[in-house]
Amino acid sequence: QNDGYRTLSLSENVGLGSLPDQLVKKSTKQGFYFNVLCVGETGIGKSTLIKSLFNINFDDPVSMHFLPNMQLRAQTYELQESNVLLKLTIVNTVGFGDQIKRQDSYQPIVDYIDAQFEAYFQEELKIERSLFSYHDTRIHVCLYFIPPTGHSLKSLDLLTMKILDSKVNIIPIIGKADSITKTELPKFKNKIMSELVSNGVQIYQFPTDDETVSEINTYMGGHLPFAVVGSTEEVMIGNKMVRARQYPWGIVQVEDENHCDFVKLREMLICTNMEDLREQTHARHYELYRRCRLEEMGFRVIGPENKPVSLQEAYEAMRHKLDLEKQRKEEQLTQQFMQRVKEKEIMLKQAEQQIQTQFKHCMLMYQEEKMKLERRKNALEYEIAMFIEKKANAELLQSQASVSTPGFSLERDNE
Amino acid sequence: GSSLEPEEPSMEPPAVPEEEEMPVTAPSGQEGCQLFGYVGIEAVLDQMKIKTMKTGFEFNIMVVGQSGLGKSTMVNTLFKSKVSRKASQPGQEEPIPKTVQLQSVTHVIEEKGVKMKLTVTDTPGFGDQINNENCWDPIIKYINEQYERYLREEILITRKRKIPDTRVHGCVYFVPPTGHWLRPLDLEFMRRLSKIVNVVPVIAKADTLTLEERAEFKQRVRAGPQGAPEMLCVPPRPQLKSRTLQIQEDLKTHAISVYPQEDFDQDPEDRLLNDRIREKIPFAVVGADQEHQVNGKRVLGRKTKWGIIEVENPAHCEFPLLRDLLIRSHLQDLKDITHNVHYESYRVRRLNESNQ
């Protein structure tokens, strides 16, 4: 691990011992984010378990079974214990598995998880970003509730877990485990685990590489899936009030390890591995998402000389490609446009010619008409002239005759 | 079975629910809750500590100043080991280079289970030429190169789990003890560099301030809302304090913001702590790597004809303050400011420029 650097020996107390404390102090001030996704069918005890696990009380409307499709509901709580501030977000799947057609039950979950990754991804890519004060909403752990049938995994559960295993850390748990007997439980657990293994579902592995936690993690790992019971009621046992469920035949104590695995779950989830869950989410699941996203955007992972390509080079190559594409399209469009213009011009020319011919034709007609009318006019004028002459002659005759005859014969002539 | 019982009386339940606000009624949005009983959230602190001990720390420090000011000795004294081989060979004359060279040496030191990979970058040749114009350029170039390296790693498509951090977290600038004001070289350097890196100025070889200088500096008192110097904490040696005040004044006049920068104080608690440090900057330090006997104890110090200057004695010099600042209290803060502020502004510049 020294990478070949010389190790120096210190002659005295330098003060390095305070370094982890400095780091931790900073993180405590900022607070930790922890986001839990609960997947399971309606009524399996998700909300109750969360309330028991984190000791919080909230008014949660009891879900009905008749939702048209599955929804995800997220709520954030701020919990403080000694000087640690935990910003806890619980995402609940409401109506999971309630529909008649359940093929798409898992899709909203996948979309939600991806949306949180996408938000972080976008923030990381920004030019002016503020990652250290970013509200991290990425899901750190998925508690998958398996119904306590006692037989085997349902196909919906198997399918959903298979789809989610590459996106989030999955911890399978058996909900409402107080309905399984002591003898049925180990068989059920083994069945579930072997089904998961044979179907290649990768659930979250408690880390065993660090000596301080490997022992307990290996021990706990052998008890998966955890059979849990949750309760929001307290019962007096001896002289203490404990969380328990009271039945006519006895009392199931939530925090009794003989009764259920609640304590184991709390130990694993919170006390031992919370930090590892967060780190795995960031270093493994998020990085995978990021890589897929970049590849989908068109960037290749290995460059032409088989060296890993940096985002910048890939971006520039892509930009170049898109520029060429743009140029090509531009030329194409210009050509199309020119083509159309030409066609239009031809059309217009034709129309113009047509009009010209029509115009000529009209002109000719007009000329003819005009000539005709002229002739008629001339004819009529000639007639008029004739008539006036006749009239003049007639008047002359009349005037000569009126000397000899009375006037009424004049009127007859005038008609 | 495991020995973890949540009801163990030794594990005390969290302090009184003074923690959170009102009980919850609204079903959505952010809510504060009261905790009844033990949950175990504080265990996450231990988890974090374990992780950091496993991965170890990286710390990169740069020392800048003219040759002969005791930079190498100082580094050795800080890390209590022979980080720099130069200081241990006082007889050997290393030729002063014609231009500023940058030499980085990396070591791994371990104490109480904490591993630290320490890189010290020395800058021989700085300020030693007749014409020192632009002698800060190679240094600025080096610092920017480290940011560039980190940026390139960060934008890879498949990137490393832990990006190797070679960025300079702190630049200790050695101001010569003699002189009236900060020299133009000092001002120019600190002005340019405090924009891209955390600069911690120190007065080197503080044992050589002479009486005349002491008297003169006393006149330069920093006026201001904090009042007369008597109201500040009693300095170990009044003449050092005046030089300190005078340098502070200079820095203020030229608007040079050295570490810890006022703009980055996160909350009133931080501000209070950092204000106390800011009053004492620049620290007047003396470096030594040899041990002597004083009053029956072995101490690190410099033996002179007129006495032994104890490096770790706050009455003799302010070395302990420097060490505390750099290592014991503000190491993580130095790294954080480098990462969240200086690196980010480099990244913004770089991305904007490649967009054009």
Side-chain angles (χ1 to χ4, degrees):
Chain A
Q1 225 193 13
N2 284 357
D3 298 326
Y5 295 119
R6 221 178 84 197
T7 310
L8 291 178
S9 48
L10 301 175
S11 57
E12 246 179 71
N13 178 19
V14 173
L16 293 188
S18 67
L19 292 186
D21 291 318
Q22 285 182 38
L23 182 61
V24 166
K25 186 175 115 179
K26 272 242 166 225
S27 308
T28 358
K29 258 206 226 173
Q30 287 168 351
F32 297 90
Y33 287 105
F34 194 55
N35 308 319
V36 181
L37 170 69
C38 294
V39 181
E41 51 187 48
T42 315
I44 202 169
K46 303 186 287 286
S47 307
T48 314
L49 181 68
I50 293 295
K51 288 182 198 176
S52 315
L53 210 52
F54 292 101
N55 263 320
I56 48 185
N57 277 319
F58 51 87
D59 276 328
D60 197 32
V62 174
S63 327
M64 308 301 284
H65 287 273
F66 301 109
L67 293 171
N69 47 0
M70 197 195 71
Q71 286 164 12
L72 287 124
R73 228 184 269 161
Q75 278 167 232
T76 310
Y77 309 94
E78 282 197 10
L79 310 178
Q80 190 151 357
E81 191 171 87
S82 15
N83 56 344
V84 182
L85 177 69
L86 182 71
K87 295 181 196 157
L88 176 72
T89 303
I90 307 287
V91 184
N92 231 329
T93 52
V94 180
F96 182 72
D98 273 341
Q99 294 77 31
I100 293 177
K101 284 177 69 168
R102 304 193 298 184
Q103 295 91 306
D104 295 328
S105 282
Y106 57 78
Q107 196 57 45
I109 303 178
V110 172
D111 291 339
Y112 182 84
I113 296 176
D114 279 346
Q116 311 318 306
F117 282 148
E118 183 67 25
Y120 189 87
F121 178 65
Q122 291 296 338
E123 182 69 26
E124 215 188 15
L125 282 185
K126 274 196 208 165
I127 294 187
E128 305 229 1
R129 58 191 191 178
S130 53
L131 281 179
F132 53 94
S133 55
Y134 179 73
H135 179 140
D136 193 359
T137 51
R138 299 173 293 179
I139 302 292
H140 299 124
V141 67
C142 168
L143 294 178
Y144 199 96
F145 287 73
I146 298 171
T149 57
H151 297 299
S152 62
L153 276 178
K154 293 198 195 162
S155 53
L156 175 63
D157 292 332
L158 199 55
L159 183 61
T160 311
M161 277 202 267
K162 185 99 181 74
I163 292 186
L164 292 179
D165 71 0
S166 58
K167 295 202 172 278
V168 73
N169 301 315
I170 299 183
I171 298 185
I173 53 186
I174 302 173
K176 297 209 164 165
D178 46 349
S179 57
I180 306 187
T181 67
K182 218 163 151 165
T183 37
E184 286 173 341
L185 191 57
K187 273 188 261 169
F188 187 36
K189 283 190 179 183
N190 281 337
K191 192 79 175 43
I192 293 178
M193 291 310 279
S194 57
E195 275 191 0
L196 290 176
V197 165
S198 60
N199 281 286
V201 175
Q202 303 209 341
I203 56 173
Y204 174 69
Q205 300 294 328
F206 301 126
T208 47
D209 47 359
D210 182 33
E211 326 73 52
T212 38
V213 293
S214 69
E215 202 188 303
I216 180 150
N217 277 340
T218 339
Y219 169 73
M220 293 293 190
H223 285 260
L224 280 172
F226 294 129
V228 293
V229 175
S231 170
T232 46
E233 290 155 1
E234 299 199 330
V235 174
M236 181 75 93
I237 306 272
N239 55 352
K240 275 200 297 180
M241 291 294 278
V242 293
R243 280 188 191 275
R245 286 178 67 78
Q246 191 157 38
Y247 291 110
W249 48 88
I251 300 175
V252 177
Q253 289 175 54
V254 165
E255 297 195 11
D256 186 338
E257 288 203 65
N258 291 327
H259 290 198
C260 74
D261 292 332
F262 175 82
V263 169
K264 293 197 177 70
L265 175 64
R266 182 171 64 193
E267 176 64 32
M268 283 293 98
L269 186 65
I270 305 174
C271 307
T272 312
N273 297 314
M274 191 189 271
E275 186 57 28
D276 187 65
L277 283 164
R278 282 155 34 104
E279 197 191 299
Q280 291 286 338
T281 306
H282 179 69
R284 198 148 63 91
H285 299 294
Y286 170 70
E287 287 293 317
L288 180 64
Y289 175 82
R290 179 179 174 271
R291 196 162 62 228
C292 292
R293 190 79 173 77
L294 290 174
E295 275 173 16
E296 176 193 309
M297 277 163 53
F299 301 110
R300 291 189 336 269
V301 177
I302 303 292
E305 303 108 41
N306 262 358
K307 281 192 302 201
V309 171
S310 84
L311 195 55
Q312 185 194 13
E313 291 165 20
Y315 169 77
E316 267 163 25
M318 165 123 305
R319 188 158 85 158
H320 185 68
K321 195 170 89 160
L322 288 177
D323 273 340
L324 286 176
E325 181 78 21
K326 181 175 101 158
Q327 250 183 348
R328 198 180 61 83
K329 278 224 165 97
E330 261 183 21
E331 282 169 24
Q332 206 183 41
L333 281 177
T334 324
Q335 269 188 1
Q336 271 186 5
F337 180 70
M338 298 296 289
Q339 187 75 0
R340 285 237 201 100
V341 164
K342 269 203 199 108
E343 282 171 18
K344 202 69 183 204
E345 264 186 24
I346 292 177
M347 258 177 46
L348 286 175
K349 267 219 174 69
Q350 281 184 350
E352 201 183 317
Q353 275 186 357
Q354 264 188 7
I355 293 182
Q356 287 277 5
T357 12
Q358 272 189 356
F359 177 69
K360 279 202 190 107
H361 185 66
C362 280
M363 280 298 285
L364 260 137
M365 299 255 303
Y366 167 73
Q367 298 285 10
E368 276 183 25
E369 281 284 321
K370 197 163 141 181
M371 285 218 311
K372 253 199 234 165
L373 287 174
E374 283 273 343
R375 269 188 251 129
R376 271 202 65 190
K377 184 167 135 194
N378 290 343
L380 279 176
E381 273 177 1
Y382 181 69
E383 270 190 39
I384 291 178
M386 285 272 94
F387 179 72
I388 291 181
E389 222 185 289
K390 252 201 218 166
K391 183 169 158 198
N393 286 347
E395 277 178 359
L396 198 60
L397 278 172
Q398 276 294 343
S399 61
Q400 283 175 352
S402 71
V403 176
S404 51
T405 48
F408 54 84
S409 48
L410 264 172
E411 281 153 28
R412 240 195 290 145
D413 277 324
N414 278 350
E415 278 169 353
Chain B
S2 76
S3 52
L4 296 121
E5 281 283 292
E7 292 124 285
E8 252 181 70
S10 55
M11 277 208 253
E12 42 195 344
V16 187
E18 96 258 294
E19 309 104 24
E20 267 332 289
E21 301 101 321
M22 40 283 139
V24 178
T25 42
S28 60
Q30 283 239 355
E31 296 149 338
C33 309
Q34 271 191 320
L35 289 181
F36 308 99
Y38 172 79
V39 174
I41 300 175
E42 55 185 351
V44 76
L45 294 181
D46 289 323
Q47 296 170 33
M48 279 192 77
K49 276 195 205 158
I50 294 174
K51 261 211 196 292
T52 53
M53 309 256 290
K54 211 166 81 152
T55 47
F57 292 83
E58 283 172 311
F59 190 54
N60 308 318
I61 188 174
M62 180 187 272
V63 285
V64 183
Q66 281 174 286
S67 58
L69 283 181
K71 304 190 290 289
S72 318
T73 316
M74 176 54 52
V75 172
N76 286 350
T77 318
L78 259 179
F79 294 102
K80 296 282 188 347
S81 44
K82 302 255 182 280
V83 174
S84 168
R85 266 173 280 183
K86 218 194 293 178
S88 53
Q89 301 153 340
Q92 277 203 12
E93 277 285 314
E94 282 208 11
I96 296 177
K98 295 262 184 329
T99 56
V100 179
Q101 310 276 329
L102 284 124
Q103 294 170 349
S104 289
V105 165
T106 308
H107 295 291
V108 172
I109 53 182
E110 186 173 337
E111 190 188 13
K112 296 208 176 105
V114 179
K115 270 214 184 89
M116 177 153 91
K117 183 165 147 230
L118 172 72
T119 304
V120 178
T121 307
D122 199 352
T123 54
F126 178 82
D128 287 329
Q129 319 306 330
I130 295 175
N131 179 3
N132 283 315
E133 213 169 3
N134 299 330
C135 64
W136 45 79
D137 280 343
I139 298 177
I140 294 184
K141 182 160 155 251
Y142 175 83
I143 293 177
N144 284 336
E145 267 169 19
Q146 307 318 307
Y147 289 145
E148 181 68 24
R149 233 197 250 184
Y150 193 90
L151 181 65
R152 280 188 191 266
E153 286 283 343
E154 201 192 19
I155 61 178
L156 278 183
I157 294 179
T158 317
R159 44 192 197 185
K160 300 200 179 108
R161 199 162 180 131
K162 186 167 187 288
I163 300 180
D165 192 357
T166 53
R167 302 171 294 186
V168 178
H169 300 128
C171 176
V172 182
Y173 185 71
F174 286 74
V175 172
T178 54
H180 299 278
W181 295 271
L182 286 173
R183 304 167 301 161
L185 175 64
D186 301 327
L187 284 170
E188 198 53 40
F189 178 86
M190 283 203 271
R191 189 176 63 84
R192 283 167 192 266
L193 257 81
S194 53
K195 295 194 183 129
I196 58 172
V197 75
N198 298 318
V199 175
V200 181
V202 299
I203 304 177
K205 291 206 163 162
D207 50 331
T208 59
L209 275 179
T210 64
L211 277 166
E212 297 93 75
E213 280 151 349
R214 291 175 209 166
E216 216 166 329
F217 297 157
K218 265 190 185 168
Q219 292 176 25
R220 302 192 177 277
V221 175
R222 188 176 79 157
Q226 287 162 330
E230 308 86 68
M231 290 190 50
L232 301 167
C233 45
V234 178
R237 287 159 65 193
Q239 64 284 7
L240 282 176
K241 205 58 198 172
S242 346
R243 176 109 170 100
T244 307
L245 290 175
Q246 176 238 307
I247 292 182
Q248 281 174 0
E249 214 179 276
D250 272 342
L251 290 175
K252 210 166 171 186
T253 319
H254 289 86
I256 298 176
S257 150
V258 296
Y259 186 83
Q261 298 93 333
E262 270 181 359
D263 302 325
F264 307 137
D265 285 339
Q266 284 181 333
D267 51 40
E269 197 187 303
D270 255 0
R271 184 164 283 264
L272 199 62
L273 188 67
N274 288 345
D275 275 345
R276 263 188 254 143
I277 295 173
R278 279 187 280 261
E279 283 167 16
K280 302 220 182 87
I281 293 240
F283 298 129
V285 294
V286 175
D289 49 6
Q290 291 192 318
E291 292 191 336
H292 305 274
Q293 284 274 12
V294 172
N295 293 339
K297 276 196 302 173
R298 289 195 68 75
V299 292
L300 213 55
R302 282 174 69 80
K303 190 160 184 195
T304 62
K305 288 194 206 119
W306 43 88
I308 297 180
I309 307 170
E310 294 164 51
V311 161
E312 304 248 6
N313 186 340
H316 290 197
C317 86
E318 293 176 327
F319 170 80
L321 293 176
L322 178 68
R323 184 206 38 222
D324 286 348
L325 179 77
L326 286 183
I327 305 177
R328 292 192 188 162
S329 58
H330 283 70
L331 192 142
Q332 189 58 42
D333 189 50
L334 281 163
K335 288 176 68 170
D336 285 340
I337 294 195
T338 307
H339 181 64
N340 294 333
V341 176
H342 297 299
Y343 170 69
E344 286 295 316
S345 53
Y346 175 81
R347 182 175 171 274
V348 169
R349 265 181 285 145
R350 191 71 175 74
L351 291 181
N352 277 335
E353 137 203 325
S354 61
N355 269 349
Q356 263 126 35

